[in-house]
Amino acid sequence: MQRILVIDDAATVRLYHRSILEAAGYAVDEAINGVEGLEKALRAPFDLYLVDVNMPKLDGYGFLQELRKTELPQAPAIMVSTEAARSDLERAYVAGANFYLIKPVKPDALLTDVRLLLGAPRP
Amino acid sequence: MAEITISEEDFRKFREFFYRKTGIQFEDSKRYFVDKRLIERIERTDSECFRNYFMMLRFDTSGDELQTLVNLMTVNETYFFREEYQFQCMVNSLLGEIIRHKKDSTPIRIWSVPSSSGEEAYSIVMYLLEHWPALKEWDVEIISSDIDTSIIRQARRGRYSARSVQHLPGQLLKKYFKPIGLEYQIADELLGAVEFTRVNLMDPVDVRAYRNFDLIFCRNLLIYFDDLSRRQAAEAFYDALNPGGFVCLGHSESMSRISSLFRVRKFAEAIVHQKTREE
Amino acid sequence: MAFVKPPVAQPHRDDQCLAPRDFTDLVAELSYPNPAARRWAARDLAAYPEASLALMACLKEESHPSVREALLTSLTLIGDEVAVAGLVDCLRSEQVGLRNEAVEVMKELPEKVAPIMENLLADENPDVRIFAVNILESLRHPLVERWLIDVIEREPHVNVCGTAVDLLCEVGTPAAREALTRLEARFPDEPYIQFAAELALKRLGED
Ligand SMILES: C[S@@+](CC[C@H](N)C(=O)[O-])C[C@H]1O[C@@H](n2cnc3c(N)ncnc32)[C@H](O)[C@@H]1O
């Protein structure tokens, strides 16, 4: 089963994303910020990262930059943010994001992006 | 008094809060374990129900109740070869990298803090003697510190219970310990290898003299601290380390609640935090 | 070779930090070219309550991460009104990192932040209002739930409400029930709000 890491400092948002992704057949783990995301990815890499932009300690951009520097397989990433400014979008793509979603995320939009990047869930 | 119960949603709410504060995640299968301890604390604090207790826990500025809970939810006794995989990581990976980058032949410096009664520092010594052949070529300085002077006295004495040596391989127990009654006395060779000192990690004046370390073990301490104290500890470690030096935390601890001063490094045996080399 | 017992104190060769310096020296050192020197100055200024203005000014310019961390720790330790005012400024910064750092420090300063909380929650910039709710997370203050209820009753911006509901899942009591139900009705087409409000309602507990 493809594994997805949801990184967000808000517990309810993590739970919301988890419930959508699990219902669609993917396996999900959570991290509270970029540092914990890196720690978890280094323990066992994921097939996709769903990353909030605004987080304490290490934000979403910082997380992706660090992730791209590791020797881990370069899995795709989706950035999630409350902001829709052009500059944010560009920064996300430069940091290595594949897609950018605006909060609050709609389940269909999320699943469309995830399926494009990962394909349908495999058992 | 009515029977105290923890509902499914109470458990989840508590689980999220505890995770945010400590980084410790409970699986659903831990429900019974967690509930039992929560009920114990609700009774002890006369909170009557989960909701009152949870509010008290959240709003308690001293952080004492959270500390008590962490104590209940984790193993806080220290013993020889606790979290042995980190010692393996030290001899198989970390020390090799440290000596590759060393520019001179000054001693390798290791700081084990908090020392508690010394099991961790002496485990490091045994591990080096048994599993690190390069010890023939290098001097090693091991300093181990704690805030509690009576526990330091115990560490210097080196007398241990059967419980604290239970995870040691029998042949090491035989080689490095002498049974005395029901206890075990550690060999002079090990006693002489560690310098024990008193230090309060929260006191900038205390920690100022601790510098030029290559490796720091700080296990099972930060988890009990509040956010600001953890920050201060991370600052102290950063200043105590040489560039490229490593910090090993306990297995349930993570820098993610503490600081972004360090880089996360993955080795075969463990995840370790490193101070960057530039500067 | 073997185990050696060291002299514990190991002053650095170029050890600026062990020489006694006064406030003016330290402030001057905040702009030294060597980051290690700047870091020590930032660390040592924590002992001077009058240092917050200088530390704040430095935080806005400083780029070295290790110096920034030291500046933030010292600002938290001093934690006076000047520091808080400077941090509020940072909430409006264009730099994500600086904004998040300011939130983190303010979470540690409940007594100083509480009096300005209502102003922050009414700020015209929705991002500042989100940060204000983020700060409430660790604020130990009797009015936290009241403030959150006001947010979900009145706040027009969906993401400010979303952040407030997240926190109500943790601190909500039956006093929040009606406000949560009205919030659901206010954003019928937002699945996240529906999800979060339902969760918060489930966790309120019995009346
Ligand atoms: C649970 S023991 C950890 C022992 C060992 N590192 C291990 O992992 O088994 C915690 C120790 O931390 C010490 N301690 C608590 N606060 C401290 C502080 N501010 N500075 C130094 N040591 C401290 C206590 O005295 C106690 O011995």
Side-chain angles (χ1 to χ4, degrees), chain B residues 81 91 124-133 135 171-172 175-176:
Chain B
F81 281 28
V91 294
I124 295 173
V125 177
M126 277 187 267
Y127 237 85
L128 293 176
L129 287 166
E130 297 292 319
H131 303 289
W132 196 55
L135 188 61
Q171 127 255 0
L172 293 187
K175 189 165 164 188
Y176 295 111

Side-chain angles (χ1 to χ4, degrees), chain A residues 2-114:
Chain A
Q2 298 102 313
R3 299 172 63 245
I4 301 176
L5 183 63
V6 174
I7 313 179
D8 198 303
D9 54 334
T12 316
V13 176
R14 293 196 302 272
L15 215 56
Y16 173 67
H17 290 162
R18 176 194 274 273
S19 69
I20 298 169
L21 295 167
E22 282 183 347
Y26 300 98
V28 176
D29 197 358
E30 304 173 16
I32 203 163
N33 62 33
V35 180
E36 191 172 65
L38 277 175
E39 290 174 354
K40 289 205 166 176
L42 285 167
R43 288 206 169 93
F46 292 82
D47 302 296
L48 175 78
Y49 298 88
L50 184 62
V51 192
D52 182 31
V53 168
N54 272 312
M55 292 181 293
K57 306 295 175 206
L58 185 62
D59 62 37
Y61 303 122
F63 167 79
L64 278 186
Q65 280 156 7
E66 290 295 319
L67 182 75
R68 299 302 181 216
K69 277 192 232 159
T70 64
E71 294 137 29
L72 297 176
Q74 291 306 314
I78 302 173
M79 278 279 212
V80 186
S81 171
T82 54
E83 274 147 288
R86 239 202 117 66
S87 57
D88 296 304
L89 249 141
E90 274 165 19
R91 258 196 93 184
Y93 292 126
V94 170
N98 300 64
F99 289 121
Y100 191 95
L101 289 171
I102 309 290
K103 279 187 178 180
V105 169
K106 298 273 201 294
D108 290 349
L110 176 61
L111 287 175
T112 308
D113 286 0
V114 171

